[in-house]
Amino acid sequence: RMSTRNDKEEFIPEAAAAAAAAAITPSLSAMSTTELDRGHRVGNFWSYPDFNPAKNRMRLIPAEAFEEIAAFAVQKAEGLSYADVGCNSGELTVDFWTSLKRTYDSSSPGGGALPSSRALGVEIDPTLVSRARERSSDPTLTFSCGDAGSVPFLSAALDAGLGRGRRVTLVSVFSTTMWLHMHLGDAAFYAWLGYVCSRADHVLIEPQPKRCYTAANKRLRKM
């Protein structure tokens, strides 16, 4: 289910920002085994777009969602900004940003110029980041490599890619929350969500169901 409301006050503890900033994840150290575990430790599957194509996932997002977000950005008059956390090799990031930016650009009242648009993809795996950069020729879309589960890193990446202290129009977290949750634990994960909500006007999450947690834990116990 997709929601474009920011409901942080309903589920985020009061000390979310402080707890999230203090959280340290083991994800970067787990990256050293990627060629052996094929992404089963932090979810950086090199073949993910092959078995879950971006075009299939885009069909699940209604056009009204792009229209609502674009209309919000036009009304706010500060430009459109988008961050995709856990972007893998960028297929979905590129397709999503292309659709969102096209909708925004066509939403100008009277056809006048709109404030500029900027987008950022964040991914822990340098191989996947390289593929994403090769895939996109859009100068408004950049990619940053690092552990998005670390709030200090994510904050710095958002500042560098989208503007210091800028509130992001939309942050998406596609099929990444499980990996963050498993590495951070409950409290720090909720705190991380609190930080994301504090930086975004809208948050779009594609969560993994319980069966994915069960399968991931079984694979990890074998490693």
Side-chain angles (χ1 to χ4, degrees):
R1 183 175 67 89
M2 188 184 110
S3 173
T4 55
R5 290 179 57 214
N6 187 332
D7 294 329
K8 62 180 181 300
E9 68 276 7
E10 296 181 6
F11 65 93
I12 299 299
E14 292 181 1
I24 298 174
T25 78
S27 300
L28 286 175
S29 60
M31 276 292 302
S32 62
T33 64
T34 293
E35 292 190 12
L36 296 176
D37 61 46
R38 299 184 182 181
H40 288 298
R41 291 187 187 276
V42 294
N44 54 316
F45 300 104
W46 288 356
S47 60
Y48 190 81
D50 296 332
F51 60 81
N52 196 5
K55 63 180 181 180
N56 293 347
R57 301 165 79 186
M58 285 291 293
R59 294 192 188 106
L60 301 176
I61 303 172
E64 292 81 3
F66 293 109
E67 294 166 0
E68 180 181 342
I69 295 166
F72 176 90
V74 170
Q75 184 176 19
K76 193 173 181 181
E78 295 180 0
L80 176 69
S81 56
Y82 168 57
D84 185 21
V85 177
C87 66
N88 199 269
S89 51
E91 284 88 347
L92 183 57
T93 315
V94 170
D95 288 356
F96 190 97
W97 177 236
T98 299
S99 294
L100 180 58
K101 186 171 179 290
R102 183 191 305 120
T103 305
Y104 172 75
D105 290 341
S106 65
S107 300
S108 173
L114 290 168
S116 61
S117 306
R118 299 173 72 178
L120 172 71
V122 181
E123 169 58 44
I124 194 172
D125 189 326
T127 298
L128 293 174
V129 171
S130 294
R131 293 179 183 179
R133 288 170 176 163
E134 292 172 358
R135 174 165 284 101
S136 175
S137 58
D138 185 344
T140 67
L141 173 59
T142 59
F143 292 91
S144 179
C145 185
D147 182 3
S150 163
V151 167
F153 166 77
L154 182 58
S155 177
L158 294 174
D159 285 347
L162 302 177
R164 180 168 296 279
R166 180 178 183 176
R167 194 167 174 85
V168 186
T169 310
L170 171 67
V171 173
S172 63
V173 192
F174 293 117
S175 292
T176 301
T177 51
M178 179 185 73
W179 304 103
L180 292 168
H181 191 187
M182 290 175 66
H183 283 288
L184 289 168
D186 291 346
F189 175 62
Y190 284 126
W192 183 89
L193 286 174
Y195 170 74
V196 171
C197 289
S198 75
R199 283 296 299 263
D201 293 314
H202 305 84
V203 177
L204 173 59
I205 293 177
E206 180 190 34
Q208 289 102 320
K210 182 179 178 180
R211 59 182 173 78
C212 292
Y213 280 78
T214 301
N217 278 316
K218 285 182 178 179
R219 288 193 298 266
L220 287 171
R221 283 195 293 267
K222 295 178 181 179
M223 294 179 182

Coordinates of all heavy atoms in Angstrom, one line a residue, residues 103-176:
T103 N 6.0 14.7 -15.0 CA 4.7 15.1 -14.5 C 4.9 16.5 -13.9 O 4.1 17.4 -14.1 CB 4.2 14.2 -13.4 OG1 4.1 12.9 -14.0 CG2 2.8 14.6 -12.9
Y104 N 6.0 16.7 -13.1 CA 6.3 18.0 -12.5 C 6.5 19.1 -13.6 O 5.9 20.2 -13.5 CB 7.5 17.9 -11.6 CG 8.0 19.2 -11.1 CD1 7.4 19.9 -10.1 CD2 9.2 19.8 -11.6 CE1 7.9 21.1 -9.5 CE2 9.7 21.0 -11.1 CZ 9.0 21.6 -10.1 OH 9.5 22.8 -9.5
D105 N 7.3 18.8 -14.6 CA 7.6 19.8 -15.6 C 6.3 20.2 -16.4 O 6.2 21.3 -16.9 CB 8.6 19.3 -16.6 CG 10.0 19.1 -16.0 OD1 10.2 19.8 -15.0 OD2 10.8 18.4 -16.5
S106 N 5.3 19.3 -16.5 CA 4.1 19.6 -17.2 C 3.0 20.2 -16.3 O 1.9 20.5 -16.8 CB 3.6 18.3 -17.9 OG 3.2 17.4 -16.9
S107 N 3.4 20.5 -15.1 CA 2.4 21.0 -14.1 C 2.4 22.5 -13.9 O 1.7 23.0 -13.0 CB 2.5 20.2 -12.8 OG 2.4 18.9 -12.9
S108 N 3.3 23.1 -14.6 CA 3.4 24.6 -14.4 C 2.2 25.3 -14.8 O 1.6 25.2 -15.9 CB 4.6 25.1 -15.3 OG 4.7 26.5 -15.2
P109 N 1.7 26.2 -13.9 CA 0.5 27.0 -14.2 C 0.8 28.0 -15.3 O 1.8 28.7 -15.2 CB 0.2 27.7 -12.9 CG 0.9 26.9 -11.8 CD 2.1 26.3 -12.5
G110 N 0.1 27.9 -16.4 CA 0.4 28.8 -17.5 C 1.6 28.5 -18.3 O 2.0 29.3 -19.2
G111 N 2.2 27.4 -18.1 CA 3.4 27.0 -18.8 C 4.7 27.7 -18.5 O 5.7 27.6 -19.2
G112 N 4.7 28.4 -17.4 CA 5.9 29.1 -17.0 C 7.0 28.2 -16.4 O 6.7 27.0 -16.2
A113 N 8.2 28.8 -16.3 CA 9.3 28.0 -15.7 C 9.1 27.7 -14.3 O 8.6 28.5 -13.5 CB 10.6 28.8 -15.9
L114 N 9.5 26.5 -13.9 CA 9.4 26.0 -12.5 C 10.7 26.0 -11.8 O 11.8 25.9 -12.5 CB 8.8 24.6 -12.4 CG 7.3 24.5 -12.8 CD1 6.9 23.0 -13.0 CD2 6.4 25.1 -11.7
P115 N 10.8 26.1 -10.5 CA 12.1 25.9 -9.8 C 12.8 24.6 -10.2 O 12.1 23.6 -10.6 CB 11.7 25.9 -8.4 CG 10.5 26.7 -8.3 CD 9.7 26.3 -9.6
S116 N 14.1 24.5 -10.1 CA 14.8 23.3 -10.6 C 14.5 22.0 -9.9 O 14.0 22.0 -8.7 CB 16.3 23.6 -10.5 OG 16.7 23.8 -9.1
S117 N 14.8 20.9 -10.5 CA 14.6 19.6 -10.0 C 15.9 18.9 -9.8 O 16.8 19.0 -10.5 CB 13.7 18.8 -11.0 OG 12.6 19.4 -11.3
R118 N 16.0 18.1 -8.7 CA 17.2 17.3 -8.4 C 16.8 16.0 -7.8 O 15.9 15.9 -7.0 CB 18.1 18.1 -7.4 CG 18.6 19.5 -8.0 CD 19.4 20.3 -7.0 NE 20.7 19.7 -6.7 CZ 21.6 20.3 -5.9 NH1 21.2 21.4 -5.2 NH2 22.8 19.8 -5.7
A119 N 17.6 15.0 -8.1 CA 17.3 13.6 -7.6 C 18.6 13.0 -7.2 O 19.7 13.2 -7.7 CB 16.5 12.8 -8.6
L120 N 18.5 12.0 -6.2 CA 19.7 11.3 -5.7 C 19.3 9.9 -5.5 O 18.3 9.5 -4.9 CB 20.1 12.0 -4.4 CG 21.2 11.3 -3.6 CD1 22.6 11.4 -4.3 CD2 21.3 11.8 -2.2
G121 N 20.2 9.0 -5.9 CA 20.1 7.6 -5.6 C 21.2 7.2 -4.6 O 22.3 7.6 -4.8
V122 N 20.9 6.4 -3.6 CA 21.9 6.0 -2.6 C 22.0 4.5 -2.5 O 20.9 3.8 -2.4 CB 21.5 6.6 -1.2 CG1 22.6 6.2 -0.1 CG2 21.3 8.1 -1.2
E123 N 23.2 4.0 -2.6 CA 23.4 2.5 -2.6 C 24.7 2.2 -1.9 O 25.7 2.9 -2.1 CB 23.4 2.1 -4.1 CG 23.8 0.6 -4.3 CD 23.0 -0.4 -3.5 OE1 21.7 -0.3 -3.5 OE2 23.6 -1.3 -3.0
I124 N 24.7 1.1 -1.2 CA 25.9 0.7 -0.5 C 27.0 0.1 -1.3 O 28.2 0.1 -1.0 CB 25.5 -0.2 0.7 CG1 26.7 -0.4 1.7 CG2 25.1 -1.6 0.2 CD1 26.3 -1.1 3.0
D125 N 26.6 -0.5 -2.4 CA 27.5 -1.3 -3.3 C 28.2 -0.5 -4.4 O 27.4 0.0 -5.3 CB 26.7 -2.5 -3.9 CG 27.6 -3.5 -4.5 OD1 28.6 -3.1 -5.1 OD2 27.3 -4.7 -4.5
P126 N 29.5 -0.3 -4.4 CA 30.1 0.5 -5.4 C 29.9 0.0 -6.8 O 29.9 0.8 -7.8 CB 31.6 0.6 -5.0 CG 31.8 -0.6 -4.1 CD 30.5 -0.8 -3.4
T127 N 29.9 -1.3 -7.0 CA 29.6 -1.9 -8.3 C 28.3 -1.5 -8.9 O 28.1 -1.1 -10.0 CB 29.7 -3.4 -8.3 OG1 31.0 -3.8 -7.9 CG2 29.4 -4.0 -9.6
L128 N 27.3 -1.5 -8.0 CA 25.9 -1.1 -8.4 C 25.8 0.3 -8.7 O 25.1 0.8 -9.6 CB 24.9 -1.6 -7.3 CG 24.7 -3.1 -7.2 CD1 23.8 -3.4 -6.0 CD2 24.1 -3.7 -8.4
V129 N 26.5 1.1 -7.9 CA 26.5 2.6 -8.1 C 27.2 2.9 -9.4 O 26.7 3.8 -10.2 CB 27.3 3.3 -7.0 CG1 27.5 4.8 -7.3 CG2 26.5 3.2 -5.7
S130 N 28.2 2.2 -9.8 CA 28.9 2.4 -11.1 C 27.9 2.1 -12.2 O 27.8 2.8 -13.2 CB 30.1 1.6 -11.2 OG 31.1 2.0 -10.3
R131 N 27.2 1.0 -12.1 CA 26.2 0.7 -13.1 C 25.1 1.7 -13.2 O 24.6 2.0 -14.3 CB 25.6 -0.7 -12.8 CG 26.6 -1.9 -12.9 CD 25.9 -3.2 -12.5 NE 26.8 -4.3 -12.5 CZ 26.5 -5.6 -12.2 NH1 25.2 -5.8 -11.9 NH2 27.4 -6.5 -12.2
A132 N 24.7 2.2 -12.1 CA 23.6 3.2 -12.1 C 24.1 4.5 -12.8 O 23.3 5.1 -13.6 CB 23.2 3.6 -10.6
R133 N 25.3 4.9 -12.5 CA 25.9 6.1 -13.1 C 26.0 5.9 -14.6 O 25.8 6.9 -15.4 CB 27.2 6.5 -12.5 CG 27.1 7.0 -11.1 CD 28.4 7.1 -10.4 NE 28.2 7.8 -9.0 CZ 29.2 7.7 -8.1 NH1 30.3 7.1 -8.3 NH2 28.9 8.3 -6.9
E134 N 26.4 4.7 -15.1 CA 26.4 4.5 -16.5 C 25.1 4.5 -17.2 O 24.9 4.8 -18.3 CB 27.1 3.1 -16.7 CG 28.6 3.1 -16.3 CD 29.2 1.7 -16.4 OE1 28.4 0.7 -16.7 OE2 30.4 1.5 -16.1
R135 N 24.1 4.1 -16.4 CA 22.7 3.9 -17.0 C 22.1 5.3 -17.2 O 21.3 5.5 -18.1 CB 21.9 3.1 -16.0 CG 20.4 3.0 -16.4 CD 19.7 1.9 -15.6 NE 20.0 0.6 -16.2 CZ 20.9 -0.2 -15.7 NH1 21.5 0.1 -14.5 NH2 21.2 -1.4 -16.2
S136 N 22.4 6.3 -16.3 CA 21.7 7.5 -16.4 C 22.5 8.6 -17.1 O 23.7 8.8 -16.7 CB 21.3 8.0 -15.0 OG 20.7 9.3 -15.0
S137 N 21.9 9.3 -18.0 CA 22.5 10.5 -18.6 C 21.8 11.8 -18.2 O 22.1 12.9 -18.7 CB 22.5 10.4 -20.2 OG 21.1 10.3 -20.6
D138 N 21.0 11.7 -17.2 CA 20.2 12.9 -16.8 C 21.1 13.7 -15.8 O 21.4 13.1 -14.7 CB 18.9 12.4 -16.1 CG 18.0 13.5 -15.6 OD1 18.5 14.7 -15.6 OD2 16.8 13.2 -15.3
P139 N 21.4 14.9 -16.1 CA 22.2 15.7 -15.2 C 21.6 16.1 -13.9 O 22.3 16.5 -13.0 CB 22.5 16.9 -16.1 CG 21.4 17.0 -17.0 CD 21.0 15.6 -17.3
T140 N 20.3 15.9 -13.8 CA 19.6 16.2 -12.6 C 19.6 15.1 -11.6 O 19.1 15.2 -10.4 CB 18.1 16.7 -12.8 OG1 17.4 15.5 -13.3 CG2 18.1 17.8 -13.8
L141 N 20.1 13.9 -12.0 CA 20.1 12.7 -11.2 C 21.5 12.3 -10.9 O 22.3 12.0 -11.8 CB 19.3 11.6 -11.9 CG 19.4 10.2 -11.2 CD1 18.8 10.2 -9.8 CD2 18.6 9.2 -12.1
T142 N 21.9 12.2 -9.6 CA 23.2 11.7 -9.2 C 23.1 10.5 -8.3 O 22.0 10.3 -7.7 CB 24.0 12.9 -8.5 OG1 23.2 13.3 -7.3 CG2 24.2 14.0 -9.4
F143 N 24.2 9.8 -8.1 CA 24.2 8.7 -7.2 C 25.3 8.8 -6.2 O 26.4 9.2 -6.5 CB 24.4 7.4 -8.1 CG 23.2 7.1 -8.9 CD1 23.1 7.6 -10.2 CD2 22.1 6.4 -8.5 CE1 22.0 7.4 -11.1 CE2 21.0 6.1 -9.3 CZ 21.0 6.6 -10.6
S144 N 25.0 8.3 -5.0 CA 26.0 8.4 -3.9 C 26.2 7.0 -3.3 O 25.2 6.2 -3.2 CB 25.5 9.3 -2.8 OG 26.4 9.4 -1.7
C145 N 27.4 6.6 -3.0 CA 27.8 5.3 -2.5 C 28.1 5.4 -1.0 O 29.0 6.1 -0.6 CB 29.0 4.7 -3.3 SG 29.3 3.0 -2.8
G146 N 27.4 4.6 -0.2 CA 27.6 4.5 1.2 C 26.5 3.8 1.9 O 25.5 3.3 1.3
D147 N 26.6 3.7 3.2 CA 25.7 2.9 4.1 C 24.5 3.9 4.5 O 24.7 4.7 5.4 CB 26.4 2.4 5.3 CG 25.5 1.6 6.2 OD1 24.3 1.4 5.8 OD2 26.0 1.1 7.2
A148 N 23.4 3.7 3.8 CA 22.3 4.6 4.1 C 21.7 4.3 5.5 O 20.9 5.1 6.0 CB 21.2 4.4 3.0
G149 N 22.0 3.2 6.1 CA 21.6 2.9 7.5 C 22.3 3.8 8.5 O 21.8 3.9 9.6
S150 N 23.3 4.4 8.1 CA 24.0 5.4 9.0 C 23.4 6.8 8.7 O 23.6 7.4 7.7 CB 25.5 5.4 8.6 OG 26.2 6.6 9.1
V151 N 22.8 7.3 9.7 CA 22.1 8.6 9.6 C 23.1 9.7 9.3 O 22.9 10.6 8.4 CB 21.3 9.0 10.8 CG1 20.9 10.4 10.8 CG2 20.1 8.1 10.9
P152 N 24.3 9.8 9.9 CA 25.3 10.8 9.5 C 25.6 10.7 8.0 O 25.7 11.8 7.4 CB 26.5 10.5 10.4 CG 25.9 9.9 11.6 CD 24.8 9.0 11.1
F153 N 25.8 9.5 7.5 CA 26.1 9.4 6.1 C 25.0 9.8 5.2 O 25.1 10.6 4.3 CB 26.5 8.0 5.7 CG 26.5 7.8 4.2 CD1 27.6 8.3 3.4 CD2 25.4 7.2 3.5 CE1 27.5 8.2 2.0 CE2 25.4 7.1 2.2 CZ 26.4 7.6 1.4
L154 N 23.8 9.3 5.5 CA 22.6 9.7 4.8 C 22.3 11.2 4.8 O 22.0 11.8 3.7 CB 21.4 8.9 5.3 CG 20.1 9.1 4.5 CD1 20.2 8.7 3.1 CD2 18.9 8.3 5.2
S155 N 22.5 11.8 5.9 CA 22.3 13.2 6.0 C 23.3 14.0 5.2 O 22.9 14.9 4.4 CB 22.5 13.7 7.5 OG 22.3 15.1 7.6
A156 N 24.5 13.6 5.2 CA 25.6 14.2 4.4 C 25.3 14.0 2.9 O 25.5 14.9 2.1 CB 26.9 13.7 4.7
A157 N 24.8 12.8 2.5 CA 24.5 12.5 1.1 C 23.3 13.4 0.6 O 23.4 13.9 -0.5 CB 24.2 11.0 0.9
L158 N 22.3 13.5 1.4 CA 21.1 14.3 1.1 C 21.6 15.8 0.9 O 21.1 16.5 0.0 CB 20.0 14.2 2.1 CG 19.4 12.8 2.2 CD1 18.4 12.8 3.3 CD2 18.7 12.5 0.8
D159 N 22.4 16.3 1.9 CA 22.9 17.7 1.8 C 23.7 17.9 0.5 O 23.5 18.9 -0.1 CB 23.7 18.0 3.0 CG 22.9 18.2 4.3 OD1 21.7 18.3 4.2 OD2 23.5 18.2 5.4
A160 N 24.6 17.0 0.2 CA 25.4 17.2 -1.0 C 24.7 17.0 -2.3 O 24.9 17.8 -3.2 CB 26.6 16.2 -0.9
G161 N 23.7 16.1 -2.3 CA 23.0 15.8 -3.6 C 21.8 16.7 -3.8 O 21.5 16.9 -5.0
L162 N 21.2 17.1 -2.8 CA 19.9 17.8 -2.9 C 19.9 19.2 -2.3 O 18.9 20.0 -2.6 CB 18.8 17.0 -2.4 CG 18.6 15.6 -2.9 CD1 17.5 14.8 -2.2 CD2 18.3 15.6 -4.4
G163 N 20.9 19.6 -1.5 CA 20.9 20.9 -0.9 C 21.0 20.8 0.6 O 20.2 20.1 1.2
R164 N 21.9 21.5 1.2 CA 22.1 21.4 2.7 C 20.8 21.8 3.4 O 20.2 22.9 3.2 CB 23.2 22.3 3.1 CG 23.5 22.3 4.6 CD 24.8 23.0 4.9 NE 25.9 22.3 4.3 CZ 26.5 21.2 4.8 NH1 26.0 20.7 6.0 NH2 27.5 20.6 4.2
G165 N 20.4 20.9 4.3 CA 19.2 21.1 5.1 C 17.9 21.1 4.4 O 16.9 21.3 5.0
R166 N 17.9 20.8 3.1 CA 16.7 20.9 2.3 C 15.7 19.8 2.7 O 16.1 18.6 2.8 CB 17.1 20.9 0.8 CG 15.8 20.9 -0.1 CD 16.3 20.9 -1.5 NE 15.1 21.1 -2.4 CZ 15.2 21.2 -3.8 NH1 16.4 21.2 -4.3 NH2 14.1 21.3 -4.5
R167 N 14.5 20.1 2.8 CA 13.5 19.1 3.0 C 13.2 18.5 1.6 O 12.9 19.2 0.7 CB 12.2 19.7 3.6 CG 11.2 18.7 4.1 CD 10.2 19.4 5.0 NE 9.1 18.5 5.4 CZ 9.2 17.7 6.4 NH1 10.3 17.7 7.2 NH2 8.2 16.9 6.7
V168 N 13.2 17.2 1.5 CA 13.1 16.4 0.3 C 11.6 16.2 -0.1 O 10.8 15.8 0.8 CB 13.8 15.1 0.3 CG1 13.8 14.4 -1.0 CG2 15.3 15.3 0.8
T169 N 11.2 16.5 -1.3 CA 9.8 16.3 -1.7 C 9.4 14.9 -1.5 O 8.3 14.6 -0.9 CB 9.6 16.7 -3.2 OG1 10.2 18.0 -3.4 CG2 8.1 16.7 -3.5
L170 N 10.2 13.9 -1.9 CA 9.9 12.5 -1.8 C 11.1 11.7 -1.5 O 12.1 11.8 -2.2 CB 9.2 12.0 -3.0 CG 8.9 10.5 -3.1 CD1 7.9 10.0 -2.1 CD2 8.5 10.1 -4.5
V171 N 11.0 10.8 -0.5 CA 12.1 9.8 -0.3 C 11.4 8.4 -0.5 O 10.3 8.1 0.1 CB 12.7 9.8 1.1 CG1 13.6 8.7 1.3 CG2 13.4 11.1 1.3
S172 N 12.0 7.6 -1.4 CA 11.5 6.2 -1.6 C 12.5 5.2 -1.0 O 13.7 5.4 -1.0 CB 11.2 6.0 -3.1 OG 12.4 6.0 -3.8
V173 N 11.9 4.2 -0.4 CA 12.7 3.1 0.1 C 12.1 1.8 -0.4 O 11.2 1.2 0.1 CB 12.7 3.1 1.6 CG1 13.8 2.1 2.2 CG2 12.9 4.5 2.2
F174 N 12.6 1.4 -1.6 CA 12.1 0.2 -2.3 C 12.8 -1.1 -1.9 O 14.0 -1.2 -2.1 CB 12.2 0.4 -3.8 CG 11.3 1.5 -4.4 CD1 11.9 2.6 -5.0 CD2 9.9 1.4 -4.3 CE1 11.1 3.6 -5.5 CE2 9.1 2.4 -4.8 CZ 9.7 3.5 -5.4
S175 N 12.1 -2.0 -1.2 CA 12.6 -3.3 -0.9 C 14.0 -3.2 -0.2 O 14.9 -4.0 -0.4 CB 12.7 -4.2 -2.1 OG 11.5 -4.5 -2.6
T176 N 14.1 -2.3 0.7 CA 15.3 -2.1 1.5 C 15.1 -2.1 3.0 O 16.0 -2.3 3.7 CB 15.9 -0.7 1.1 OG1 16.2 -0.7 -0.3 CG2 17.3 -0.5 1.8

